[in-house]
Amino acid sequence: MISNWSAVAGRAAGVMRRPAAPMTYALIGLCCLIFLIGPAAGLNPAYGSGEELYAAQRAWFRRWGVVPAELFEGAARSALTPATALFVHGSWVHLLGNMLFLHVFGVMTEERMGRIEFTLFYLGCGCLALLGYAGANADSPQSLVGASGAISAVLGAFLALFPRARVTSLLPFLFFLPLRFPAWVVLPFWAALQWLAAGRAPDGPGVAYLAHLVGFGLGFAYAWARYGRTTRVKDAPAPAPEGENQP
């Protein structure tokens, strides 16, 4: 998931009105709907139970997720999976963690970018993040699912747009005391954790830290190049979740 041992769960504080972010809420709703009708939620009796349910989950992830070993073979179905994988999640924790981060960081980012640009940014960076991971693990037969690459891009853009926004962080080594830090402290720290974890990540199912890093870098670079310094909000009140690989 985006949040590993350092959990970041912030919220906007001190704002006079709530930003309008219809596409952020639409993306959250779509991800939740797809999860609920799929086998990973465990709510649809049509998928059975036990081994039957487990087999249905594996087939679901393989159909809609990115399989690096198949992606570059040129099949039309596989070519679409970087987009479809963004809306598939492997567990309740996977889904809820991602949607929390999308809600917290996506609202202000969408308001700044606008609905259409934000949607294209989210989808484009998400696909590129998954492609980056797949390219680095081209022989892997594991399915890659989740919105973490796209949401990491939102985090990167948020850092470029609102570096002074204060983010509430829960740090385990400080007994989970809620502390507020500027985004320029919290988000680079999160990115550094992803970098360290990516170097230690074993082969096989787990968290696709590399996709997080690619998405974060793309999001930051895009926002920096597109908006530069002119749009940064001084002392903005601020806000502030994917095991990517599934068996």
Side-chain angles (χ1 to χ4, degrees):
M1 293 182 57
I2 279 187
S3 58
N4 33 47
W5 64 271
S6 175
V8 181
R11 58 190 310 178
V15 287
M16 298 302 295
R17 65 184 180 84
R18 189 171 190 80
M23 295 312 302
T24 296
Y25 298 126
L27 289 168
I28 291 173
L30 183 57
C31 286
C32 291
L33 176 62
I34 291 174
F35 179 79
L36 291 174
I37 65 176
L43 300 177
N44 190 338
Y47 292 109
S49 60
E51 289 298 321
E52 184 181 7
L53 176 61
Y54 182 67
Q57 291 173 351
R58 294 188 61 179
W60 178 266
F61 298 142
R62 195 166 193 85
R63 178 179 181 183
W64 301 112
V66 173
V67 180
E70 299 176 359
L71 180 62
F72 302 109
E73 293 180 352
R77 186 193 66 80
S78 295
L80 297 176
T81 56
T84 59
L86 295 176
F87 300 95
V88 178
H89 291 82
S91 68
W92 283 97
V93 173
H94 186 192
L95 173 75
L96 295 177
N98 273 353
M99 296 306 100
L100 171 63
F101 271 72
L102 179 55
H103 174 263
V104 168
F105 291 98
V107 169
M108 289 176 65
T109 305
E110 180 184 344
E111 185 183 54
R112 179 61 194 90
M113 289 185 174
R115 301 175 186 179
I116 296 177
E117 182 178 352
F118 175 79
T119 304
L120 295 176
F121 162 81
Y122 179 91
L123 296 175
C125 288
C127 290
L128 289 174
L130 292 176
L131 287 171
Y133 178 89
N137 299 271
D139 296 329
S140 174
Q142 300 295 335
S143 302
L144 182 68
V145 300
S148 290
I151 297 171
S152 296
V154 174
L155 267 64
F158 187 93
L159 175 61
L161 295 172
F162 310 105
R164 296 185 183 181
R166 302 192 72 80
V167 176
T168 300
S169 304
L170 303 177
L171 303 176
F173 55 82
L174 294 178
F175 304 101
F176 294 98
L177 293 176
L179 302 175
R180 291 179 67 78
F181 299 99
W184 66 265
V185 172
V186 175
L187 294 179
F189 179 67
W190 172 84
L193 291 178
Q194 307 307 299
W195 177 271
L196 293 174
R200 301 174 185 171
D203 296 332
V207 180
Y209 296 106
L210 180 59
H212 299 177
L213 289 169
V214 173
F216 187 84
L218 288 171
F220 183 86
Y222 176 85
W224 180 271
R226 174 73 171 82
Y227 298 98
R229 296 176 178 272
T230 59
T231 62
R232 295 188 176 186
V233 178
K234 184 177 181 179
D235 296 327
E242 130 200 279
E244 293 269 3
N245 286 329
Q246 298 301 326

